[in-house]
Amino acid sequence: MQLVDTHVHINFKDFDSDLESVRSRWQQVGVKHLVHSCVKPSEFLQIQAIADRFPELSFAVGLHPLDAHLWQPEWDREIYDLATSDRRVVAIGETGLDFYKADNTDKNKEEQITAFKAQINIAKSLNLPVIIHCRDAAIATAEVLKEVNSLDPDRPVAGVMHCWAGNPEETQWFLDLGMYISFSGVVTFKNAQTIQASAQVVPSDRLLIETDCPFLAPMPNRGKRNEPSNVLYVAQKLAEIRAEPLEQLADQTTKNACILFNLSLQTDLAGN
C-alpha cells in the first residue's frame, strides 16, 4: 500500500528537532510522496532545502489568504520566477479565501480576492494546479473560479480544495468546477458529520488525502502535533465512510495525486 500526503508544512519549527524521525515514521506507513504547501514566498528556500534532503518531496509556492494584506503587484513575477526555478514545484499555493475571522473587513476580502486571482493566473500561465484554502468563503471562492473560467473556458482552473470542510452542496459546486477535494484529519473527528457526508459524494477519481501537518491531527492523536504518517488515519476513516477497502482507496488517491500534481513515483502505479 502506498499513500501520498498532498498537504504538509514540515518546514515549521514544530519539526526542527526530529524531522528525520518523522520521515522514518511516514516511510513505515507507506507514504511515498509529499506535497509541501507554501504560505509565503519567503519560505521557498527553506522548503527547497528540505526537498534537497528528501527526494520524495515536491512543493508549491504562493501566498496564504490570511497574509493577503502583504500582496504587492511585483509578487506576480516573484512567484512566477520561483515556480519556474525548480522542477520540483508542482503547484501554486496555498492561496484562496479565508473569511472566518470575525473582524474580516470588506477591504481585506478584496485584498484576498486580488491575491487569489493573481495566483490563479500564474498557475494557468504555467499549466500548474492551485492549492486552494477556503474557510467560510465557499460562495466567493466559487464565484472567483467561475469568473476566471469564463474568461478562458477552454482552459478551466485545475486544482484542489485542500483541508475541505464544506457541506455536500458546496462540495458539488467545486466538483462541477473540476476541482479535486482533499480531506484532512478533521474528517476523523466525532462531530464532523457534515464533512463525512461530503466525503461520500466525492467521486473516487477526485479524492485526495492530506494531513495539513503540524495542524489538525486526526483521531486518535487529536490535540498532538500532526505529522505525515497520520495520513494513514485519514485514509482509514475515508475508507470506512465510503465502504471501500483501504488498499483500494490508498491506491486511488495516490493515482489522483500523481495526475493532479504530475508526480512520478518510484513504484509503477499503472497496474494498481
Side-chain angles (χ1 to χ4, degrees), residues 127-265:
N127 198 29
L128 290 175
V130 282
I131 297 173
I132 299 177
H133 173 111
C134 175
R135 191 173 189 189
D136 284 7
I139 293 174
T141 302
E143 287 176 349
V144 168
L145 293 174
K146 288 176 182 177
E147 178 185 339
V148 174
N149 285 345
S150 71
L151 299 174
D152 189 5
D154 293 331
R155 295 177 61 244
V157 179
V160 55
M161 307 303 297
H162 113 84
C163 194
W164 183 241
N167 62 44
E169 180 184 9
E170 294 166 340
T171 303
Q172 192 60 54
W173 297 348
F174 294 104
L175 289 170
D176 291 344
L177 286 163
M179 295 291 110
Y180 286 73
I181 308 293
S182 181
F183 293 95
S184 70
V186 178
V187 77
T188 71
F189 297 172
K190 291 180 180 179
N191 63 348
Q193 290 91 349
T194 298
I195 300 171
Q196 292 169 4
S198 292
Q200 296 180 59
V201 305
V202 178
S204 323
D205 62 356
R206 298 281 199 86
L207 184 68
L208 294 173
I209 55 176
E210 65 172 88
T211 55
D212 199 15
C213 64
F215 313 108
L216 303 173
M219 301 294 289
N221 295 326
R222 188 174 183 181
K224 301 178 181 178
R225 180 192 70 177
N226 201 4
E227 60 179 69
S229 62
N230 286 333
V231 79
L232 175 60
Y233 294 118
V234 179
Q236 288 172 334
K237 186 64 178 182
L238 286 172
E240 174 192 326
I241 293 167
R242 294 165 61 88
E244 298 175 10
L246 173 60
E247 292 77 8
Q248 176 181 313
L249 184 136
D251 286 349
Q252 184 65 58
T253 55
T254 296
K255 285 184 178 180
N256 296 344
C258 289
I259 292 168
L260 179 63
F261 296 113
N262 195 26
L263 306 178
S264 179
L265 305 191

Side-chain angles (χ1 to χ4, degrees), residues 91-120:
I92 300 298
E94 63 188 276
T95 181
L97 303 175
D98 190 322
F99 296 167
Y100 174 71
K101 286 191 173 181
D103 61 350
N104 207 279
T105 63
D106 288 340
K107 178 176 182 291
N108 180 248
K109 290 179 180 179
E110 287 303 315
E111 290 170 339
Q112 290 191 35
I113 290 170
T114 296
F116 184 27
K117 287 181 178 178
Q119 291 175 85
I120 289 174

Side-chain angles (χ1 to χ4, degrees), residues 23-34:
R23 185 196 192 195
S24 178
R25 287 192 288 275
W26 81 55
Q27 290 176 327
Q28 288 171 13
V29 302
V31 175
K32 300 298 184 183
H33 206 90
L34 306 91

